Amino acid sequence: MRAHLGDQLVVEGPNTGAARRDGEIVGLHHADGTPPYDVRWSDTDEVTLVFPGPDAHIHHIEHGPGETPSQEGHGPSDIGRRIALERARLGLTRTETARRAKMAPQYLAYLEERSADPSLASLIRLADALGTTAAALRGGGIDLPPGRGQALLHPRLRDLEGDECRALLSTHGVGRVAFSTPDGPAVIPVNYEVVDDAIVFRTAPGSAPAAAMGTDVAFEVDHVDEAMSQGWSVLAVGPARAVKEPDAVRRLADLAHTEPWAGGKRELWISIEPKRLTGRAISPSDQ
């Protein structure tokens, strides 16, 4: 009897003390998928070591369209990527996250690295361990604006110091650049990098963001933690200029963490030199 992590183990017969018992395989003790297995039973939510007998059989997870068993599980799913991202954001190891979620670290690795479809119970435990929701890990609300949850009962709003602002800006991400145009104010999201304390992004000549050149702009980055009803924002204000020196352009291209999400040929780099850097954070008043 061979199995994969995430498969369902069903036991039927007189030896179970019931007509049927089923669980999710969350740990394998042999690389070839043979018994014994760690099984989380759906009726008790407990994980036990199981040596399946003749009254047990396995339901393999379903394959996607055109996928064969040999292809199954290759590459992370959207859920796996969101789990890994939330874990990294919190600075948690797989071992610590698995302990909090009461699952085997090997199973967590499987969820993050393979095309897995965890049970709702496993997803709820992971969401609780990561301070988020099962719906968020599944991508629910991805097309809706952030901050639709409830405000904290006793929030604390505080100003951030310069070092805190720079740390939250990090080395790269997605932010919004705001500037004036002949048609009125414009606010445009861009992929950005932080290089030598300057905020840089690339666009195409003649594009809307290119109109920011030669003007004073505002650049804003924020994050909202839906599950905890808290978040922060950082605002940088300063002049924007085009980077024209060939060596500087090559350096920025080499340091870039990603191509622009908007796609297309975007080789005009614009640098923002912050003259003012401020930020605010909302957290529970007892923190």
Side-chain angles (χ1 to χ4, degrees), residues 78-83 86 120 123 127 132-149 224-227:
D78 288 345
I79 290 177
R81 282 188 284 266
R82 291 188 186 101
I83 292 171
E86 287 300 314
L120 179 59
L123 205 57
T132 184
T133 65
L137 292 180
R138 282 178 164 169
I142 194 171
D143 295 323
L144 299 174
R148 290 167 59 87
V224 175
D225 188 328
E226 294 279 1

mmCIF file of all heavy atoms in Angstrom, residues 78-83 86 120 123 127 132-149 224-227:
data_model
loop_
_atom_site.group_PDB
_atom_site.id
_atom_site.type_symbol
_atom_site.label_atom_id
_atom_site.label_comp_id
_atom_site.label_asym_id
_atom_site.label_seq_id
_atom_site.Cartn_x
_atom_site.Cartn_y
_atom_site.Cartn_z
ATOM 1 N N ASP A 78 -1.079 27.595 -4.996
ATOM 2 C CA ASP A 78 -1.274 28.959 -4.502
ATOM 3 C C ASP A 78 -1.368 28.963 -2.976
ATOM 4 O O ASP A 78 -0.847 29.867 -2.314
ATOM 5 C CB ASP A 78 -2.551 29.561 -5.102
ATOM 6 C CG ASP A 78 -2.386 29.884 -6.576
ATOM 7 O OD1 ASP A 78 -1.245 29.911 -7.049
ATOM 8 O OD2 ASP A 78 -3.401 30.091 -7.254
ATOM 9 N N ILE A 79 -2.026 27.952 -2.413
ATOM 10 C CA ILE A 79 -2.129 27.853 -0.950
ATOM 11 C C ILE A 79 -0.740 27.697 -0.352
ATOM 12 O O ILE A 79 -0.395 28.347 0.637
ATOM 13 C CB ILE A 79 -3.036 26.673 -0.553
ATOM 14 C CG1 ILE A 79 -4.492 26.984 -0.914
ATOM 15 C CG2 ILE A 79 -2.912 26.377 0.944
ATOM 16 C CD1 ILE A 79 -5.446 25.841 -0.624
ATOM 17 N N GLY A 80 0.073 26.819 -0.953
ATOM 18 C CA GLY A 80 1.419 26.601 -0.443
ATOM 19 C C GLY A 80 2.256 27.864 -0.468
ATOM 20 O O GLY A 80 3.010 28.157 0.476
ATOM 21 N N ARG A 81 2.138 28.632 -1.536
ATOM 22 C CA ARG A 81 2.903 29.880 -1.624
ATOM 23 C C ARG A 81 2.447 30.875 -0.564
ATOM 24 O O ARG A 81 3.274 31.593 0.024
ATOM 25 C CB ARG A 81 2.762 30.476 -3.023
ATOM 26 C CG ARG A 81 3.641 29.790 -4.074
ATOM 27 C CD ARG A 81 3.607 30.549 -5.385
ATOM 28 N NE ARG A 81 2.360 30.318 -6.090
ATOM 29 C CZ ARG A 81 2.199 29.380 -7.013
ATOM 30 N NH1 ARG A 81 3.209 28.588 -7.337
ATOM 31 N NH2 ARG A 81 1.042 29.223 -7.636
ATOM 32 N N ARG A 82 1.144 30.934 -0.311
ATOM 33 C CA ARG A 82 0.646 31.871 0.705
ATOM 34 C C ARG A 82 1.082 31.432 2.103
ATOM 35 O O ARG A 82 1.406 32.273 2.940
ATOM 36 C CB ARG A 82 -0.879 31.967 0.617
ATOM 37 C CG ARG A 82 -1.370 32.652 -0.651
ATOM 38 C CD ARG A 82 -2.856 32.905 -0.628
ATOM 39 N NE ARG A 82 -3.291 33.435 -1.911
ATOM 40 C CZ ARG A 82 -3.893 32.708 -2.857
ATOM 41 N NH1 ARG A 82 -4.145 31.420 -2.632
ATOM 42 N NH2 ARG A 82 -4.242 33.245 -3.995
ATOM 43 N N ILE A 83 1.085 30.134 2.365
ATOM 44 C CA ILE A 83 1.547 29.636 3.659
ATOM 45 C C ILE A 83 3.007 30.016 3.865
ATOM 46 O O ILE A 83 3.395 30.535 4.915
ATOM 47 C CB ILE A 83 1.371 28.110 3.752
ATOM 48 C CG1 ILE A 83 -0.120 27.740 3.791
ATOM 49 C CG2 ILE A 83 2.079 27.559 4.991
ATOM 50 C CD1 ILE A 83 -0.383 26.251 3.659
ATOM 51 N N GLU A 86 3.397 33.855 4.477
ATOM 52 C CA GLU A 86 2.989 34.278 5.815
ATOM 53 C C GLU A 86 3.994 33.809 6.859
ATOM 54 O O GLU A 86 4.307 34.541 7.807
ATOM 55 C CB GLU A 86 1.594 33.736 6.135
ATOM 56 C CG GLU A 86 0.471 34.418 5.387
ATOM 57 C CD GLU A 86 0.393 35.898 5.691
ATOM 58 O OE1 GLU A 86 0.465 36.287 6.882
ATOM 59 O OE2 GLU A 86 0.288 36.694 4.744
ATOM 60 N N LEU A 120 -9.791 21.078 5.315
ATOM 61 C CA LEU A 120 -10.204 22.331 5.947
ATOM 62 C C LEU A 120 -9.664 22.413 7.371
ATOM 63 O O LEU A 120 -9.221 23.481 7.819
ATOM 64 C CB LEU A 120 -11.728 22.439 5.960
ATOM 65 C CG LEU A 120 -12.303 23.703 6.626
ATOM 66 C CD1 LEU A 120 -11.787 24.958 5.934
ATOM 67 C CD2 LEU A 120 -13.819 23.668 6.618
ATOM 68 N N LEU A 123 -6.074 23.432 7.267
ATOM 69 C CA LEU A 123 -5.949 24.824 6.847
ATOM 70 C C LEU A 123 -6.320 25.774 7.985
ATOM 71 O O LEU A 123 -5.669 26.811 8.177
ATOM 72 C CB LEU A 123 -6.854 25.067 5.639
ATOM 73 C CG LEU A 123 -6.459 26.210 4.693
ATOM 74 C CD1 LEU A 123 -5.049 26.006 4.175
ATOM 75 C CD2 LEU A 123 -7.442 26.302 3.544
ATOM 76 N N ALA A 127 -3.845 28.510 9.608
ATOM 77 C CA ALA A 127 -4.230 29.915 9.650
ATOM 78 C C ALA A 127 -4.119 30.467 11.062
ATOM 79 O O ALA A 127 -3.631 31.584 11.274
ATOM 80 C CB ALA A 127 -5.652 30.074 9.112
ATOM 81 N N THR A 132 -3.728 34.356 10.622
ATOM 82 C CA THR A 132 -4.538 34.786 9.492
ATOM 83 C C THR A 132 -5.788 33.910 9.432
ATOM 84 O O THR A 132 -6.175 33.328 10.439
ATOM 85 C CB THR A 132 -3.722 34.710 8.181
ATOM 86 O OG1 THR A 132 -4.508 35.212 7.114
ATOM 87 C CG2 THR A 132 -3.249 33.308 7.880
ATOM 88 N N THR A 133 -6.432 33.826 8.289
ATOM 89 C CA THR A 133 -7.647 33.037 8.152
ATOM 90 C C THR A 133 -7.480 32.003 7.053
ATOM 91 O O THR A 133 -6.648 32.158 6.147
ATOM 92 C CB THR A 133 -8.853 33.925 7.812
ATOM 93 O OG1 THR A 133 -8.646 34.511 6.514
ATOM 94 C CG2 THR A 133 -9.035 35.025 8.851
ATOM 95 N N ALA A 134 -8.282 30.940 7.141
ATOM 96 C CA ALA A 134 -8.259 29.919 6.095
ATOM 97 C C ALA A 134 -8.662 30.519 4.759
ATOM 98 O O ALA A 134 -8.104 30.168 3.710
ATOM 99 C CB ALA A 134 -9.191 28.763 6.480
ATOM 100 N N ALA A 135 -9.629 31.434 4.786
ATOM 101 C CA ALA A 135 -10.063 32.082 3.542
ATOM 102 C C ALA A 135 -8.921 32.864 2.909
ATOM 103 O O ALA A 135 -8.746 32.856 1.691
ATOM 104 C CB ALA A 135 -11.252 32.999 3.817
ATOM 105 N N ALA A 136 -8.106 33.544 3.739
ATOM 106 C CA ALA A 136 -6.982 34.313 3.203
ATOM 107 C C ALA A 136 -5.937 33.388 2.587
ATOM 108 O O ALA A 136 -5.372 33.703 1.537
ATOM 109 C CB ALA A 136 -6.359 35.162 4.306
ATOM 110 N N LEU A 137 -5.668 32.244 3.222
ATOM 111 C CA LEU A 137 -4.697 31.293 2.670
ATOM 112 C C LEU A 137 -5.196 30.702 1.356
ATOM 113 O O LEU A 137 -4.401 30.338 0.487
ATOM 114 C CB LEU A 137 -4.411 30.173 3.673
ATOM 115 C CG LEU A 137 -3.652 30.586 4.937
ATOM 116 C CD1 LEU A 137 -3.445 29.380 5.850
ATOM 117 C CD2 LEU A 137 -2.313 31.224 4.597
ATOM 118 N N ARG A 138 -6.510 30.619 1.205
ATOM 119 C CA ARG A 138 -7.079 30.119 -0.047
ATOM 120 C C ARG A 138 -7.158 31.198 -1.125
ATOM 121 O O ARG A 138 -7.503 30.927 -2.263
ATOM 122 C CB ARG A 138 -8.476 29.552 0.209
ATOM 123 C CG ARG A 138 -8.459 28.153 0.830
ATOM 124 C CD ARG A 138 -9.853 27.672 1.096
ATOM 125 N NE ARG A 138 -9.904 26.242 1.330
ATOM 126 C CZ ARG A 138 -10.963 25.600 1.798
ATOM 127 N NH1 ARG A 138 -12.056 26.292 2.088
ATOM 128 N NH2 ARG A 138 -10.931 24.296 1.976
ATOM 129 N N GLY A 139 -6.878 32.437 -0.743
ATOM 130 C CA GLY A 139 -6.930 33.521 -1.715
ATOM 131 C C GLY A 139 -8.238 34.266 -1.716
ATOM 132 O O GLY A 139 -8.475 35.101 -2.591
ATOM 133 N N GLY A 140 -9.087 33.990 -0.737
ATOM 134 C CA GLY A 140 -10.353 34.701 -0.657
ATOM 135 C C GLY A 140 -10.138 36.183 -0.408
ATOM 136 O O GLY A 140 -9.318 36.576 0.415
ATOM 137 N N GLY A 141 -10.838 37.016 -1.132
ATOM 138 C CA GLY A 141 -10.714 38.459 -0.974
ATOM 139 C C GLY A 141 -9.552 39.062 -1.727
ATOM 140 O O GLY A 141 -9.257 40.246 -1.565
ATOM 141 N N ILE A 142 -8.892 38.248 -2.582
ATOM 142 C CA ILE A 142 -7.730 38.759 -3.299
ATOM 143 C C ILE A 142 -8.114 39.890 -4.254
ATOM 144 O O ILE A 142 -7.305 40.743 -4.599
ATOM 145 C CB ILE A 142 -7.021 37.611 -4.055
ATOM 146 C CG1 ILE A 142 -5.634 38.067 -4.524
ATOM 147 C CG2 ILE A 142 -7.856 37.134 -5.238
ATOM 148 C CD1 ILE A 142 -4.785 36.966 -5.087
ATOM 149 N N ASP A 143 -9.371 39.912 -4.707
ATOM 150 C CA ASP A 143 -9.827 40.957 -5.625
ATOM 151 C C ASP A 143 -10.532 42.101 -4.900
ATOM 152 O O ASP A 143 -11.162 42.943 -5.540
ATOM 153 C CB ASP A 143 -10.784 40.355 -6.672
ATOM 154 C CG ASP A 143 -10.073 39.360 -7.580
ATOM 155 O OD1 ASP A 143 -8.895 39.610 -7.904
ATOM 156 O OD2 ASP A 143 -10.681 38.348 -7.943
ATOM 157 N N LEU A 144 -10.441 42.106 -3.564
ATOM 158 C CA LEU A 144 -11.084 43.152 -2.779
ATOM 159 C C LEU A 144 -10.035 44.013 -2.097
ATOM 160 O O LEU A 144 -8.920 43.556 -1.843
ATOM 161 C CB LEU A 144 -12.007 42.524 -1.722
ATOM 162 C CG LEU A 144 -13.159 41.672 -2.259
ATOM 163 C CD1 LEU A 144 -13.895 40.999 -1.107
ATOM 164 C CD2 LEU A 144 -14.119 42.517 -3.087
ATOM 165 N N PRO A 145 -10.344 45.261 -1.795
ATOM 166 C CA PRO A 145 -9.358 46.115 -1.120
ATOM 167 C C PRO A 145 -9.093 45.617 0.290
ATOM 168 O O PRO A 145 -9.976 45.024 0.929
ATOM 169 C CB PRO A 145 -10.045 47.494 -1.107
ATOM 170 C CG PRO A 145 -11.501 47.197 -1.205
ATOM 171 C CD PRO A 145 -11.618 45.966 -2.051
ATOM 172 N N PRO A 146 -7.880 45.842 0.818
ATOM 173 C CA PRO A 146 -7.575 45.414 2.184
ATOM 174 C C PRO A 146 -8.295 46.283 3.201
ATOM 175 O O PRO A 146 -8.764 47.378 2.890
ATOM 176 C CB PRO A 146 -6.057 45.598 2.278
ATOM 177 C CG PRO A 146 -5.764 46.688 1.291
ATOM 178 C CD PRO A 146 -6.734 46.482 0.163
ATOM 179 N N GLY A 147 -8.358 45.779 4.427
ATOM 180 C CA GLY A 147 -8.926 46.562 5.512
ATOM 181 C C GLY A 147 -10.435 46.484 5.633
ATOM 182 O O GLY A 147 -11.063 47.395 6.171
ATOM 183 N N ARG A 148 -11.032 45.386 5.150
ATOM 184 C CA ARG A 148 -12.486 45.256 5.231
ATOM 185 C C ARG A 148 -12.942 44.642 6.559
ATOM 186 O O ARG A 148 -14.127 44.489 6.803
ATOM 187 C CB ARG A 148 -12.983 44.383 4.075
ATOM 188 C CG ARG A 148 -12.859 45.061 2.715
ATOM 189 C CD ARG A 148 -13.044 44.086 1.576
ATOM 190 N NE ARG A 148 -14.327 43.414 1.608
ATOM 191 C CZ ARG A 148 -15.450 43.878 1.057
ATOM 192 N NH1 ARG A 148 -15.427 45.052 0.433
ATOM 193 N NH2 ARG A 148 -16.563 43.198 1.103
ATOM 194 N N GLY A 149 -11.978 44.278 7.414
ATOM 195 C CA GLY A 149 -12.327 43.711 8.711
ATOM 196 C C GLY A 149 -12.754 44.784 9.701
ATOM 197 O O GLY A 149 -12.930 45.960 9.363
ATOM 198 N N VAL A 224 -1.534 45.991 5.643
ATOM 199 C CA VAL A 224 -2.664 45.793 6.545
ATOM 200 C C VAL A 224 -2.737 44.323 6.900
ATOM 201 O O VAL A 224 -2.774 43.459 6.013
ATOM 202 C CB VAL A 224 -3.990 46.251 5.902
ATOM 203 C CG1 VAL A 224 -5.162 45.915 6.808
ATOM 204 C CG2 VAL A 224 -3.961 47.740 5.612
ATOM 205 N N ASP A 225 -2.729 44.011 8.189
ATOM 206 C CA ASP A 225 -2.896 42.641 8.668
ATOM 207 C C ASP A 225 -4.377 42.450 8.983
ATOM 208 O O ASP A 225 -4.875 42.885 10.016
ATOM 209 C CB ASP A 225 -2.039 42.424 9.921
ATOM 210 C CG ASP A 225 -2.011 40.967 10.363
ATOM 211 O OD1 ASP A 225 -3.027 40.269 10.155
ATOM 212 O OD2 ASP A 225 -0.995 40.526 10.917
ATOM 213 N N GLU A 226 -5.083 41.800 8.056
ATOM 214 C CA GLU A 226 -6.529 41.652 8.196
ATOM 215 C C GLU A 226 -6.903 40.890 9.464
ATOM 216 O O GLU A 226 -7.854 41.236 10.169
ATOM 217 C CB GLU A 226 -7.087 40.912 6.977
ATOM 218 C CG GLU A 226 -6.970 41.681 5.676
ATOM 219 C CD GLU A 226 -8.064 42.712 5.513
ATOM 220 O OE1 GLU A 226 -8.910 42.839 6.416
ATOM 221 O OE2 GLU A 226 -8.073 43.395 4.483
ATOM 222 N N ALA A 227 -6.153 39.816 9.748
ATOM 223 C CA ALA A 227 -6.515 38.962 10.878
ATOM 224 C C ALA A 227 -6.359 39.695 12.210
ATOM 225 O O ALA A 227 -7.148 39.483 13.138
ATOM 226 C CB ALA A 227 -5.662 37.690 10.866
#
